[in-house]
Amino acid sequence: MTRGNPSSPSAAKPGPFRSLGGWLERPDDIQPCLCGDDSADVIVVGAGFAGLCTALELTALGAKVIVLEQEFAGFGASGRNAGYLGGGQGLEYELFLKRVGHEQARSIIRFYDEGVGYVERKLGELGIDCDYNPSGIIRAGVHPSQEKRLRESMELGVSLGSPATFLDHAQMRARGIPPAFLFGCHIPGGGTLNPGKYVLGLRRAAIRAGVRLYENTPLLGYSEGPVIECKTPQGSARAPHLVFATNAYTPQLGLLRDKVMPIKVSAIETRPLSPAQLASLGWPNREGIMTSHLTMESHRLTAHNTLVLTTKRISYVYGSKTPNEPDHVAYQQLAIALHQRFPTLRGLDIQHCWSGYISLAFDALPVVGETGKQQNIHYTAGCSGHGVATQSFIGHLLAERIGGIEHPLLAALRHKTPSLLPEPLQWCAMTLALGAAHQLDSFTNRRVHKAG
């Protein structure tokens, strides 16, 4: 990477694109595809956090479970995200608080916070080593203009039951947080982990528990009824219950097209930092840091001493498509952010870049429920960038629901999700909204650069 002005595109040269994401490789023990016919009590489509946790919880209740996965477990968003295990602080409260009211909002926030504890318990119960660092998370500002919004959001989250503490400039420096981050709120629960190791640990646990995982097995279609039949390229599966745990890919399967949309997010990972480079940062507790931009940046150190930066620029693809393609503009902007936030690391190479899709509803809340004449087709989507905790915990709630128990937190998630627009209005609206957010964030970053 060349040296130069950190705000200049010529100052950053992102590394090669990884189509699998940056956290995992294709498993050596890929499970056979479904050939012929099979049956179970429940069929789960999608082998990410939600699908695997649902399968594990159902198996623990005595159910026979089939999981259909188009690629391999973790290939989608679960293996591509930033690896933040976070709760209810930092949600877009203004998008849903008036719609659902304070009482239901408090229960929704509790769902997010309890998801953190659920994952922590599962790591111990299943013996999953995924480099978990329970340091909490910091939402930070990089310019004084961000402080008011950050404080107000934190205080609203606290009033809804999610703890956090505001850190002023002196307190940030006392914690050793890199100086580009001026102030922030520390969220005590959760931390960072390696999402690839986590999802592959769930995969191993599911196989060990007797879940019939069929990889390289896309769902071609399904028929409704008391017993649902799922068609795949070389076979079929039948069960009284079907669970869609496909998140951003759900609209392409003909479900939730009017409720959730896939949003493309991106990441870069640097080469390992030298001891001198690590020392130049400080950052002793290695808290994951998310900025309070409209389209946030996230910054974290990994267990192997690399830096991972994510998002910065997000986009919507016409027709809710999810092409596994690079986003070179996003990588370039993330590389510039690397130079701006960590000037002592000028010249540090980026080893690779990747992109993936989160699932977003207009109110940024989870979308869960049932459909079909028999109400035996279950779905979960709308992680909105908070998928590690929420999409893991939802597996527990869905398993109970299929077993006949409606958990109060699942009931709290049931609400009227705003409807999306038809194309091309949806693409126009998202392009304008995201473009405006990017422009405002760029203005903030230019002010930071001038001040520096």
Side-chain angles (χ1 to χ4, degrees):
M1 185 179 296
T2 59
R3 300 176 186 268
N5 183 339
S7 66
S8 167
S10 64
K13 293 182 179 179
F17 171 69
R18 273 183 57 88
S19 62
L20 300 183
W23 299 104
L24 76 177
E25 302 290 345
R26 185 180 177 87
D28 293 331
D29 63 336
I30 289 292
Q31 298 299 290
C33 65
L34 175 59
C35 296
D37 299 326
D38 199 358
S39 62
D41 299 311
V42 183
I43 299 168
V44 178
V45 182
F49 301 143
L52 292 172
C53 286
T54 301
L56 280 164
E57 295 288 358
L58 285 166
T59 301
L61 294 175
K64 303 299 182 184
V65 183
I66 289 171
V67 176
L68 305 178
E69 167 54 47
Q70 179 169 306
E71 299 286 346
F72 60 85
F75 177 83
S78 296
R80 298 168 188 265
N81 67 50
Y84 285 67
L85 179 62
Q89 270 288 348
L91 299 181
E92 303 299 331
Y93 307 118
E94 66 274 11
L95 294 180
F96 65 83
L97 186 55
K98 290 183 179 180
R99 290 178 56 85
V100 303
H102 276 74
E103 183 176 351
Q104 187 174 359
R106 287 180 67 87
S107 295
I108 291 171
I109 299 305
R110 185 181 161 209
F111 160 76
Y112 280 86
D113 286 342
E114 290 206 6
V116 173
Y118 174 84
V119 173
E120 290 176 332
R121 290 191 299 275
K122 284 300 169 185
L123 297 182
E125 291 171 6
L126 301 175
I128 298 175
D129 180 3
C130 58
D131 306 326
Y132 179 47
N133 175 26
S135 60
I137 295 169
I138 290 178
R139 296 185 63 228
V142 298
H143 189 270
S145 63
Q146 296 176 318
E147 182 173 353
K148 182 176 183 290
R149 180 172 180 265
L150 181 59
R151 278 186 180 272
E152 290 176 348
S153 176
M154 185 201 78
E155 290 167 359
L156 184 52
V158 170
S159 74
L160 293 171
S162 190
T165 303
F166 192 83
L167 304 175
D168 62 20
H169 186 271
Q171 291 168 316
M172 291 282 275
R173 303 293 75 79
R175 290 185 72 97
I177 302 301
F181 306 103
L182 306 180
F183 47 82
C185 67
H186 179 246
I187 304 161
T192 58
L193 50 73
N194 182 317
K197 287 185 176 181
Y198 174 44
V199 73
L200 291 181
L202 293 174
R203 177 183 180 272
R204 287 191 298 272
I207 294 171
R208 189 167 62 240
V211 173
R212 298 201 291 276
L213 172 61
Y214 294 107
E215 295 179 305
N216 293 321
T217 304
L219 175 68
L220 300 182
Y222 62 94
S223 58
E224 297 184 17
V227 176
I228 299 165
E229 182 174 7
C230 294
K231 292 292 187 181
T232 69
Q234 299 183 59
S236 64
R238 293 165 59 86
H241 292 273
L242 173 63
V243 177
F244 280 98
T246 43
N247 210 25
Y249 306 94
T250 308
Q252 298 173 32
L253 297 174
L255 192 65
L256 303 183
R257 285 175 175 166
D258 63 335
K259 299 301 181 186
V260 297
M261 58 188 144
I263 297 293
K264 190 172 189 177
V265 298
S266 297
I268 62 173
E269 183 175 11
T270 70
R271 298 288 181 186
L273 278 64
S274 69
Q277 288 171 323
L278 280 171
S280 75
L281 297 180
W283 212 348
N285 298 319
R286 295 176 173 236
E287 301 97 334
I289 299 174
M290 299 181 293
T291 68
S292 54
H293 290 83
L294 294 175
T295 53
M296 73 170 192
E297 306 166 12
S298 76
H299 307 260
R300 58 161 297 193
L301 287 164
T302 69
H304 44 283
N305 294 330
T306 64
L307 258 174
V308 172
L309 281 68
T310 65
T311 58
K312 188 66 173 175
R313 176 183 182 272
I314 61 177
S315 59
Y316 169 76
V317 180
Y318 185 90
S320 291
K321 294 183 174 60
T322 56
N324 189 17
E325 298 173 350
D327 187 338
H328 296 296
V329 174
Y331 308 145
Q332 188 78 18
Q333 292 183 354
L334 284 167
I336 292 170
L338 170 66
H339 279 180
Q340 289 180 326
R341 311 300 177 226
F342 307 101
T344 63
L345 302 183
R346 300 275 176 82
L348 179 64
D349 288 334
I350 297 169
Q351 63 175 327
H352 49 238
C353 315
W354 67 91
S355 296
Y357 294 88
I358 64 171
S359 174
L360 180 70
F362 268 159
D363 59 8
L365 288 179
V367 180
V368 296
E370 301 83 32
T371 188
K373 292 181 179 180
Q374 310 293 322
Q375 293 291 286
N376 57 351
I377 299 171
H378 311 263
Y379 54 81
T380 173
C383 67
S384 301
H386 300 268
V388 179
T390 63
Q391 294 302 299
S392 299
F393 187 37
I394 202 69
H396 171 69
L397 304 185
L398 288 178
E400 285 193 345
R401 175 68 181 82
I402 292 170
I405 299 172
E406 174 90 347
H407 193 289
L409 293 183
L410 180 62
L413 295 178
R414 298 183 185 277
H415 69 288
K416 184 173 175 56
T417 301
S419 295
L420 302 181
L421 301 171
E423 297 288 18
L425 295 179
Q426 179 69 27
W427 180 86
C428 292
M430 291 306 300
T431 300
L432 288 172
L434 295 177
H438 296 154
Q439 288 296 321
L440 289 170
D441 287 342
S442 295
F443 175 68
T444 298
N445 291 332
R446 288 194 297 273
R447 295 171 73 186
V448 171
H449 182 58
K450 288 179 181 178

